[in-house]
């Protein structure tokens, strides 16, 4: 009979912060709920989830009392404030497994396994050292190159704890535009009808290395028809970044701030391409959303980013002035290129990152970790 473990999905910022890991944990709960007994634990009251939810009393990284501390310090402080409440909830609730993508929180949950009795699985969305990760009960890696790296540095007897299952994307929500939809959405944004629109998603500032200043220079160099739409909240250095971007693009940039996901999905349908200036990303959920929406992606040729974007991407050096601009010019000048890349990216998202495919694989893995004397099935979800 299949094992039905009790699993807690834990995020120290869920309900207060909207970044990649919080988005992933929340959407994962929706999709895992029909498959296993799952609970969702976050930093604020959670509504609308098809599973039991619980609040971890924490000190938010957004709290004014932490304002003098840099972003990394604030995030670490928030995670540490969640450790004791999470440990107690795991013990009192007799949970079988804790699944977490916050490194400081997960590390301490692992340290206290004997006390709370749950196995701990870490979802590595931060490109951490494989040696540091190897003592968890399970380690979710997001792309095959990470497993290849682990095989070179991890003790052989611990390599079976690592498994590759990528993030998924809600393919029914993040979809190509229907006839007339793009034009209507652009009108809402106040964009010219004949504009070419590049979109980027992520924090505005100097912490996450999104390199929005470089993106703005490339969009400007691509020609006067190109406009940039930026969706994402502020982080340290946001004012300085906005100033540089506006100096490059003037009124051809829209800073939308942090937007709800219901609004975000429509923004992709208003764009002609997605552009990412980062030189390396652990795994870009935004790229998944873009290719699922039928957008070609202009990105740096980092191996992980290339794997995520697949044949829906147009890799160019984000360290070479004018390279991204030339790629954007190709998208509007080369007949059929934009449509071909968009169709190939959409097909990849359906084949490899469909929620059912990814969630079935992850549910099977979590059952295997909890089942005594039964090895968990491994491998990547799609190639």
């Amino acid at each position: 009979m299949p094992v039905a473990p009790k699993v807690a999905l834990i995020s120290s910022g869920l309900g207060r912060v909207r970044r990649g890991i919080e988005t992933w944990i929340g959407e994962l709960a929706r999709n895992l709920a029909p498959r296993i007994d799952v609970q969702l634990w976050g930093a604020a009251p959670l509504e609308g989830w098809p599973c039991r939810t619980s609040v971890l009393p924490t000190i938010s990284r957004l709290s004014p009392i932490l304002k003098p501390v840099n972003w990394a310090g604030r995030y670490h402080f928030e995670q540490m404030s969640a450790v004791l409440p999470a440990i107690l909830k795991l013990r009192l609730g007799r949970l079988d497994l804790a699944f977490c993508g916050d490194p400081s929180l997960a590390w301490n949950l692992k340290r206290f396994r004997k006390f709370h009795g749950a196995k701990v699985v870490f979802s590595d969305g931060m490109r951490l050292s494989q040696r540091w990760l190897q003592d968890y009960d399970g380690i979710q890696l997001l792309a095959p190159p990470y497993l290849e790296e682990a095989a070179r540095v991890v003790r052989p007897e611990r390599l079976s704890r690592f498994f590759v299952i990528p993030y998924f994307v809600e393919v029914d929500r993040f979809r190509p535009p229907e006839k007339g939809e793009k034009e209507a959405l652009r009108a809402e944004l106040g964009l010219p009808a004949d504009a070419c629109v590049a979109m980027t998603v992520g924090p505005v500032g100097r912490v996450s290395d999104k390199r929005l200043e470089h993106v703005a220079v490339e969009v400007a160099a691509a020609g006067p028809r190109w406009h940039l739409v930026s969706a994402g909240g502020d982080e340290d250095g946001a004012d300085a970044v906005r100033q540089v971007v506006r100096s490059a693009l003037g009124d051809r940039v829209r800073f939308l701030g942090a937007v709800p996901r219901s609004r975000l999905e429509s923004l992709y349908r208003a764009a002609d391409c997605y552009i990412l200036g980062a030189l390396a990303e652990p795994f870009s959920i935004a790229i998944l959303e873009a290719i699922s929406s039928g957008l070609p992606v202009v990105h740096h040729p980092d191996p992980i980013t290339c794997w995520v974007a697949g044949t829906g991407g147009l890799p160019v050096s984000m360290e070479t002035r004018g390279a991204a601009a030339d790629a954007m010019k190709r998208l509007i000048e080369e007949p059929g290129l934009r449509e071909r890349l968009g169709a190939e990216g959409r097909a990849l998202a359906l084949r490899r990152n469909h929620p059912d495919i990814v969630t079935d694989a992850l549910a099977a893995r979590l059952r295997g970790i909890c089942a005594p004397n039964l090895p968990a099935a491994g491998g990547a979800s799609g190639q």
Side-chain angles (χ1 to χ4, degrees), residues 126-139:
M126 302 184 73
R127 235 175 186 168
L128 299 178
S129 164
Q130 311 295 358
R131 292 185 188 276
W132 183 84
L133 295 172
Q134 62 184 322
D135 194 37
Y136 284 93
D137 298 292
I139 305 97

Side-chain angles (χ1 to χ4, degrees), residues 155-209:
R155 298 178 189 175
E157 67 273 17
R158 295 187 175 183
L159 186 60
S160 63
R161 303 179 187 190
F162 292 80
F163 58 93
V164 177
I165 297 177
Y167 290 146
F168 60 73
V169 61
E170 298 286 349
V171 294
D172 294 334
R173 294 174 55 191
F174 293 91
R175 56 167 178 78
E178 298 175 354
K179 185 177 180 179
E181 191 175 9
K182 177 182 287 190
E183 293 75 13
L185 290 167
R186 289 185 175 191
E188 291 179 21
L189 291 168
L191 293 166
D194 64 345
C196 299
V197 179
M199 181 182 174
T200 192
V201 176
V204 177
R206 296 273 169 76
V207 176
S208 302
D209 293 325

Side-chain angles (χ1 to χ4, degrees), residues 133-377:
L133 295 172
Q134 62 184 322
D135 194 37
Y136 284 93
D137 298 292
I139 305 97
Q140 180 199 6
L141 304 176
L142 300 174
Y146 289 133
L147 189 58
E148 295 166 8
E149 178 186 339
R152 293 192 293 267
V153 299
V154 171
R155 298 178 189 175
E157 67 273 17
R158 295 187 175 183
L159 186 60
S160 63
R161 303 179 187 190
F162 292 80
F163 58 93
V164 177
I165 297 177
Y167 290 146
F168 60 73
V169 61
E170 298 286 349
V171 294
D172 294 334
R173 294 174 55 191
F174 293 91
R175 56 167 178 78
E178 298 175 354
K179 185 177 180 179
E181 191 175 9
K182 177 182 287 190
E183 293 75 13
L185 290 167
R186 289 185 175 191
E188 291 179 21
L189 291 168
L191 293 166
D194 64 345
C196 299
V197 179
M199 181 182 174
T200 192
V201 176
V204 177
R206 296 273 169 76
V207 176
S208 302
D209 293 325
K210 300 296 184 182
R211 303 179 75 246
L212 192 58
E213 304 101 312
H214 179 79
V215 167
V217 170
E218 295 299 298
V219 172
R225 289 180 59 196
W226 279 97
H227 290 241
L228 177 64
V229 174
S230 168
D234 288 358
E235 61 184 13
D236 295 349
D239 290 341
V241 169
R242 273 194 295 268
Q243 183 176 358
V244 173
V245 172
R246 286 197 174 105
S247 69
L249 288 169
D251 62 358
R252 290 191 288 141
V253 61
R254 302 287 188 280
F255 286 104
L256 304 182
V259 300
R261 286 181 67 72
S262 58
R263 176 61 172 157
L264 185 61
E265 62 196 60
S266 67
L267 294 177
Y268 288 105
R269 295 195 284 274
D272 292 300
C273 78
Y274 186 85
I275 184 166
L276 178 69
L279 302 181
E281 287 275 284
F283 192 103
S284 175
I285 291 176
I287 285 182
L288 281 190
E289 295 167 346
I291 64 171
S292 184
S293 302
L295 281 184
V297 179
V298 179
H299 62 84
H300 191 69
D302 171 70
I304 301 300
T305 307
C306 287
W307 188 84
V308 177
T311 53
L314 201 57
V316 296
S317 173
M318 287 293 173
E319 296 179 294
T320 303
R321 183 65 64 89
D326 289 343
M328 295 168 70
K329 291 175 185 177
R330 285 185 60 200
L331 289 174
I332 60 174
E333 295 172 0
E334 190 171 322
L337 177 62
R338 186 173 58 188
E339 293 76 10
R340 176 175 62 80
L341 293 177
E344 290 182 3
R346 172 69 178 176
L348 176 63
L350 291 171
R351 183 175 69 249
R352 187 189 65 193
N353 303 103
H354 192 287
D356 289 343
I357 295 171
V358 172
T359 314
D360 283 344
L362 188 54
R365 168 60 68 160
L366 297 182
R367 291 191 198 100
I369 291 172
C370 290
N373 304 318
L374 289 178

Side-chain angles (χ1 to χ4, degrees), residues 91 109-118:
R91 180 179 174 90
L109 295 181
K110 175 174 70 72
R111 288 180 59 207
F112 289 95
R113 279 177 294 194
K114 289 184 179 180
F115 177 77
H116 59 66

Side-chain angles (χ1 to χ4, degrees), residues 2-49:
V3 177
K6 294 171 62 178
V7 175
L9 305 181
I10 308 174
S11 170
S12 69
L14 184 65
R16 289 178 178 152
V17 179
R18 288 202 300 268
R19 294 172 68 95
I21 186 59
E22 290 81 21
T23 297
W24 160 243
I25 291 290
E27 294 302 319
L28 180 60
R30 296 187 193 278
N31 286 272
L32 273 179
R35 293 167 169 85
I36 57 177
D37 183 358
V38 65
Q39 301 178 20
L40 181 62
W41 299 359
L46 303 169
E47 298 179 355
W49 266 265

